Amino acid sequence: MPNSVDSPIRILYVDDEPGLLIIGKKHLEKSGEFLVIGCESALDAIALLKKEHYDAIISDFQMPKCDGISFLKYLREKGDETPFIILTGKGREEVVIEALNNGADFYLEKGGDLRAQFAELINIIRYATSKKRSEDALRESEERYRNVVEDQTELICRFAADGRVIFTNDAYCRYFGVPCKEIVGSRFKPVIHPDDSGKVYRLFSSLTKANPNGTIDQRTIMPDGRILWQRWDTRAIFDENGSIREFQSVGRDITDLMERDLELKRANEEILAAYEQLTAIEEELRVQYDELKTTETALLKSEGLQRLILQSLPDFLIRFDREGTYLDILNYQEDLLILPKDEVIGRRVTDVISGEIGVQMIQGVRSAIDRNELQTLEYTLPVPAGICHFEARIVPYTENEVIALIRDITDKRKAEEAVIESEKRYRSLFESMHDGYALHRVRPDPDDGGAVIHILDVNPSFEKLVGMPRDLVVGKLLTDVLPEADPHLFEQIIHTAKTGESAVFEIRLNDPVRYVFVSVYSPGAGECATLFQDITEKKMRDEETKQSLREKEILLKEIHHRVKNNMQVISSLLMLQKETIPDPEMRELFSQSESRVYSIALVHEKLYQSENLSRIEYGEYLSMMGEYIFSSRQVRTGTIALDIHADGIYLSIDKAVPLSLITNELLTNSLKHAFPDGRKGTITIRVEKKENTIIYRFSDDGIGFPADIDFEDTQTLGMQLITSLVNQLLGTINLRREKGTAYEIVFPVDPDGEESGDSEEEKAVQTAGLQNK
């Protein structure tokens, strides 16, 4: 699990230079704020991350086998969002851009003052880990809030002043049999019974800022035709101008309660009728004795029904006299009474509940008696069950007594407080976003049949983007606020509000010129939200980097071109000098030197002609080199054939030059010694690659290498040069004398070089793709 806020920040530091790991660990752990675990390769770091959690990762870019960007890609593709800081060398802009594009949180250029560099690194780590912990805490908080609201059995909904539903819990949707996604964002409204519609209208009209709460019992006609009763507690929420912004209603089904009340009323009416009949026929009391007994029995049944209804109520009842004296307590739970019932009966409420609450309770009792109307009081008390919130509905009972229906509304208050707290957190996040945010309502345009985009809300970053304060932006048309924006922006917003399809694209703002990355999505029907990320600076850096790379590529091609030209000049000078020498042996030596220089010049020519300046296609090079040597040696067509097999072999310059000189020596020797007296034959060159090894085979079917000569201990310059160049390649050379002469040279290639690929094991780990380095 992630560390707590007060625990040390755990850092995984990856660098293939042990000395830098020691220095970094020393600087970062000096304050006691960080715990640094060092690692000398990305592969070892991946193994550690499978076992341990870290708050941040610092990685060098340039590392063998797996560099920092490949390490980053692997983590992001595995879903690891740990803050990642990459260290690069000075002037490596392309590395920085690639790192940021692949999910790096920050980068830092190595070099310069170590103290300043590590001070900046510490600040970056603090910011990155603090941001990550805050985001994790926000997600956990939101999850708790949603669990609280969704677990409620009461019906909860919030709707704007225009009737658009903003939020409902699952209980509400289940009750009305409509999916939440069809309710939220719409103007869903249950069918109110015609006899109650006027009462509902009067309730909502009566809510003011001074008296924002109201309660109503109403009937709703359900989709299946049933008529159900609900009791709704509604609160109006006002904006800073005193206008109603939205309503919040919490309700519960009271159908059973209302039906019992109706049955009780009918029973009471029967009892009254019986009493009237009894008064009218008092003289005939004896004659009506049996009827009286029947009436008494009905009365007992009615009283039993009343007790049953009382027991089913969620409230407990307290009977007070005018002075606030406890006369009786009914239908109560022991843990909700501040003291046991026997200890409060006969005492005044101010003797049991001290302070302002007791005084308010007596005032409510007297107001209910004097005005003969319901009084409502909310208060909080410490009881055995804990700190509980109560609602008291005080009803006149007689001329000097009242009945107080006490309801525990603790869960209801907690749910309301959770909703308010969540709104505060959302607003704080909204205000602190770095990207500009704007919420729009898209309405039909009555003038041209199109659509207009009104701005409903913006955050400070959007104000900064457009250079206008919020009060001058909200309520205006987006086309007036951004008149120079790309028309595609307005078209996409209208499309998203209509279809709900989100989109991400880039636009250009012309006053001043800025490039903006825009994300568009629809939070509700007819609405659209936009996120604006200013990428002007990034675009400028990208263009500067591309221009720098083009200039460097041109310069490198020019260098290879000049080297090739200079080598060809040397080769030409050797050829001219050779023509003036009468001695055949000296002329041969000059010819050999001329071929060696040309073989090197040809490497540079292929490099500057290649799209990749770091390697050449070696099969094509061998064909050109063989053609040149055959021509310079004046080999007649049809006498000696050259068979080359090197398809798909690419070599870097440090491998191509030595191997080219070796090829020149072997090819020259074969033409001089293998085919005497016009003998015909074939020279074969095969080059293949196996894993990280190049296998070079040169063979001819001539008269063969003399058996009495040790080619590794010969005094000839050519063979000495071949042996030296094989050593330079860190390779081995073998000679076979059967059926002519055959040489096999085997040398390694760097797995991180241009001529090589990755091993199977590394391909499995480096899913980011080292082959694209």
Side-chain angles (χ1 to χ4, degrees):
M1 290 182 62
N3 295 332
S4 67
V5 175
D6 296 328
S7 62
I9 297 174
R10 290 172 54 84
I11 300 171
L12 180 60
Y13 194 153
V14 186
D15 198 315
D16 63 330
E17 296 184 31
L20 290 180
L21 284 178
I22 294 172
I23 293 173
K25 181 177 178 69
K26 178 180 178 182
H27 277 273
L28 293 175
E29 291 187 345
K30 185 185 298 182
S31 65
E33 184 179 357
F34 306 105
L35 176 61
V36 180
I37 290 83
C39 192
E40 294 184 13
S41 76
L43 298 180
D44 293 340
I46 291 172
L48 284 177
L49 286 168
K50 292 179 180 178
K51 302 176 182 178
E52 297 289 337
H53 168 81
Y54 298 91
D55 297 301
I57 299 172
I58 304 170
S59 175
D60 187 22
F61 163 68
Q62 191 66 39
M63 295 185 294
K65 292 188 178 181
C66 180
D67 62 23
I69 291 180
S70 298
F71 179 30
L72 167 63
K73 289 181 180 179
Y74 175 77
L75 295 181
R76 292 300 185 250
E77 291 181 3
K78 290 296 184 181
D80 190 333
E81 295 299 328
T82 304
F84 195 99
I85 303 160
I86 191 161
L87 304 179
T88 69
K90 291 286 187 179
R92 299 303 299 273
E93 296 89 353
E94 73 282 3
V95 175
V96 172
I97 292 170
E98 188 177 3
L100 295 177
N101 287 341
N102 285 285
D105 297 272
F106 297 95
Y107 71 91
L108 189 64
E109 292 186 346
K110 295 163 64 175
D113 186 358
L114 277 178
R115 292 187 178 180
Q117 180 178 322
F118 278 104
E120 182 179 357
L121 181 59
I122 287 173
N123 289 333
I124 288 174
I125 295 171
R126 287 172 177 163
Y127 175 80
T129 55
S130 175
K131 178 182 177 184
K132 184 65 167 57
R133 290 177 175 178
S134 298
E135 290 173 348
D136 292 343
L138 178 62
R139 284 195 293 270
E140 293 176 1
S141 176
E142 288 304 320
E143 184 66 22
R144 289 196 300 271
Y145 152 70
R146 294 192 180 279
N147 289 338
V148 168
V149 173
E150 296 301 338
D151 289 343
Q152 296 297 311
T153 58
E154 292 183 310
L155 317 178
I156 302 175
C157 70
R158 298 186 66 174
F159 48 94
D162 61 0
R164 180 174 48 84
V165 179
I166 301 171
F167 170 81
T168 63
N169 67 346
D170 286 345
Y172 184 98
C173 299
R174 289 194 304 269
Y175 186 82
F176 291 106
V178 181
C180 290
K181 63 181 180 181
E182 296 182 13
I183 296 179
V184 175
S186 70
R187 288 182 171 81
F188 174 82
K189 182 179 179 181
V191 180
I192 301 173
H193 194 281
D195 294 344
D196 293 341
S197 58
K199 180 170 58 174
V200 173
Y201 174 81
R202 288 191 295 274
L203 170 70
F204 280 91
S205 300
S206 68
L207 299 179
T208 64
K209 196 168 185 178
N211 184 25
N213 299 314
T215 301
I216 190 172
D217 294 340
Q218 69 176 62
R219 285 166 289 180
T220 299
I221 301 175
M222 303 302 287
D224 59 0
R226 292 180 301 150
I227 298 177
L228 300 181
W229 283 87
Q230 303 92 33
R231 177 165 294 159
W232 294 98
D233 295 320
T234 300
R235 175 188 293 272
I237 301 174
F238 296 82
D239 60 23
E240 57 186 12
N241 297 322
S243 300
I244 294 179
R245 187 174 75 244
E246 58 187 70
F247 298 91
Q248 176 175 289
S249 294
V250 179
R252 62 188 181 88
D253 189 286
I254 58 170
T255 304
D256 291 344
L257 175 62
M258 296 302 294
E259 290 177 351
R260 290 169 184 166
D261 283 346
L262 291 175
E263 187 175 348
L264 179 60
K265 288 180 182 179
R266 287 195 297 270
N268 286 334
E269 289 172 359
E270 292 175 2
I271 293 173
L272 290 175
Y275 273 120
E276 291 174 359
Q277 185 178 10
L278 182 62
T279 303
I281 58 172
E282 281 184 348
E283 300 83 1
E284 302 174 7
L285 183 59
R286 289 176 182 246
V287 177
Q288 301 295 332
Y289 177 75
D290 292 337
E291 184 178 349
L292 178 61
K293 291 294 291 181
T294 303
T295 302
E296 289 177 349
T297 302
L299 179 60
L300 291 175
K301 291 181 179 180
S302 175
E303 290 177 347
L305 180 59
Q306 289 180 354
R307 285 194 298 272
L308 179 63
I309 294 174
L310 183 62
Q311 292 172 359
S312 67
L313 291 174
D315 307 326
F316 62 93
L317 284 69
I318 302 178
R319 187 160 59 91
F320 292 106
D321 65 11
R322 184 180 183 85
E323 301 304 319
T325 303
Y326 288 92
L327 301 179
D328 197 3
I329 302 176
L330 303 173
N331 199 38
Y332 61 89
Q333 299 178 26
E334 289 287 351
D335 59 352
L336 294 180
L337 297 180
I338 192 169
L339 291 173
K341 174 181 176 179
D342 295 340
E343 297 183 21
V344 299
I345 298 299
R347 297 171 64 181
R348 294 189 68 197
V349 67
T350 50
D351 296 332
V352 177
I353 304 175
S354 60
E356 185 66 22
I357 297 176
V359 174
Q360 291 177 355
M361 184 67 76
I362 291 180
Q363 291 174 350
V365 169
R366 292 177 178 174
S367 294
I369 293 173
D370 294 341
R371 300 178 183 179
N372 193 32
E373 61 183 24
L374 171 71
Q375 301 295 313
T376 302
L377 174 66
E378 290 189 13
Y379 58 93
T380 303
L381 277 181
V383 295
I387 304 297
C388 293
H389 301 277
F390 296 96
E391 178 186 65
R393 300 167 63 82
I394 305 173
V395 183
Y397 181 56
T398 67
E399 293 182 355
N400 292 300
E401 293 182 7
V402 298
I403 297 293
L405 288 82
I406 312 298
R407 178 176 296 181
D408 179 7
I409 60 171
T410 303
D411 291 341
K412 174 184 173 183
R413 284 289 171 264
K414 288 181 178 179
E416 291 176 351
E417 291 170 359
V419 171
I420 293 172
E421 182 62 27
S422 176
E423 288 183 348
K424 290 180 179 178
R425 289 194 295 270
Y426 277 126
R427 175 56 62 176
S428 175
L429 177 62
F430 176 77
E431 298 291 343
S432 62
M433 290 171 59
H434 292 293
D435 295 341
Y437 174 89
L439 179 64
H440 315 283
R441 175 176 288 119
V442 180
R443 296 180 180 274
D445 189 343
D447 295 332
D448 60 8
V452 292
I453 306 169
H454 289 275
I455 300 177
L456 300 181
D457 199 3
V458 298
N459 69 346
S461 294
F462 185 86
E463 298 178 52
K464 182 178 178 182
L465 179 70
V466 301
M468 298 173 63
R470 182 178 183 278
D471 55 353
L472 296 181
V473 173
V474 174
K476 288 194 173 183
L477 295 177
L478 183 61
T479 50
D480 294 337
V481 176
L482 295 175
E484 300 295 329
D486 189 333
H488 175 63
L489 171 65
F490 310 120
E491 296 169 359
Q492 185 60 56
I493 290 175
I494 294 171
H495 177 76
T496 297
K498 181 179 179 180
T499 64
E501 298 176 0
S502 59
V504 179
F505 53 92
E506 181 183 317
I507 64 169
R508 170 175 165 168
L509 302 180
N510 296 322
D511 188 18
V513 174
R514 285 166 296 168
Y515 295 92
V516 182
F517 200 66
V518 184
S519 299
V520 183
Y521 66 95
S522 176
E527 290 188 352
C528 186
T530 51
L531 281 172
F532 296 85
Q533 180 185 6
D534 192 338
I535 60 171
T536 305
E537 185 176 348
K538 178 180 180 297
K539 292 278 287 188
M540 294 175 64
R541 288 200 307 267
D542 289 349
E543 187 58 35
E544 290 173 358
T545 300
K546 291 178 182 178
Q547 181 62 28
S548 175
L549 289 174
R550 286 194 292 269
E551 293 172 356
K552 291 176 180 177
E553 182 178 333
I554 292 171
L555 178 59
L556 191 55
K557 284 190 175 184
E558 178 65 20
I559 290 172
H560 284 300
H561 187 252
R562 292 190 179 188
V563 171
K564 185 270 295 185
N565 287 343
N566 291 336
M567 298 296 285
Q568 283 189 340
V569 169
I570 296 172
S571 179
S572 299
L573 291 174
L574 291 171
M575 181 183 66
L576 292 174
Q577 186 67 39
K578 177 184 68 174
E579 299 300 327
T580 64
I581 299 174
D583 186 351
E585 292 186 3
M586 290 297 295
R587 287 168 60 89
E588 176 61 26
L589 292 176
F590 269 78
S591 294
Q592 292 178 6
S593 297
E594 178 189 342
S595 296
R596 292 164 185 159
V597 172
Y598 179 81
S599 68
I600 299 174
L602 186 58
V603 170
H604 287 278
E605 180 179 358
K606 295 302 294 180
L607 280 173
Y608 80 72
Q609 291 176 349
S610 173
E611 293 182 0
N612 189 330
L613 296 176
S614 64
R615 64 180 187 174
I616 64 172
E617 204 282 305
Y618 204 64
E620 182 180 348
Y621 168 85
L622 287 175
S623 297
M624 294 180 66
M625 183 177 174
E627 183 179 338
Y628 168 77
I629 293 177
F630 269 53
S631 176
S632 65
R633 290 287 172 178
Q634 299 179 355
V635 177
R636 295 195 308 274
T637 304
T639 56
I640 302 175
L642 179 60
D643 188 12
I644 298 175
H645 302 274
D647 294 339
I649 300 298
Y650 291 86
L651 294 179
S652 61
I653 187 170
D654 60 338
K655 304 295 183 184
V657 170
L659 191 59
S660 299
L661 290 172
I662 291 172
T663 302
N664 176 74
E665 297 301 322
L666 294 177
L667 196 54
T668 301
N669 284 345
S670 287
L671 293 176
K672 284 177 60 179
H673 304 294
F675 306 102
D677 302 325
R679 180 172 176 171
K680 296 183 180 182
T682 302
I683 298 174
T684 303
I685 302 176
R686 293 183 181 273
V687 187
E688 59 180 317
K689 179 177 177 292
K690 290 186 177 180
E691 297 182 349
N692 297 325
T693 301
I694 295 294
I695 302 174
Y696 172 92
R697 295 184 178 93
F698 182 98
S699 63
D700 63 52
D701 54 3
I703 62 174
F705 198 88
D708 58 344
I709 298 177
D710 183 358
F711 80 96
E712 294 182 340
D713 192 24
T714 180
Q715 299 301 313
T716 63
L717 177 60
M719 293 309 299
Q720 290 179 356
L721 183 59
I722 291 172
T723 303
S724 176
L725 291 171
V726 170
N727 291 334
Q728 182 178 332
L729 290 170
L730 302 179
T732 60
I733 181 170
N734 292 306
L735 171 65
R736 288 188 297 104
R737 305 171 193 261
E738 301 86 8
K739 297 181 181 180
T741 302
Y743 295 90
E744 182 179 83
I745 300 173
V746 180
F747 60 91
V749 290
D750 186 355
D752 293 329
E754 292 293 338
E755 66 273 4
S756 66
D758 297 320
S759 67
E760 293 301 321
E761 180 180 357
E762 290 171 332
K763 286 180 179 179
V765 174
Q766 301 169 8
T767 55
L770 288 177
Q771 67 272 18
N772 294 322
K773 284 175 51 180

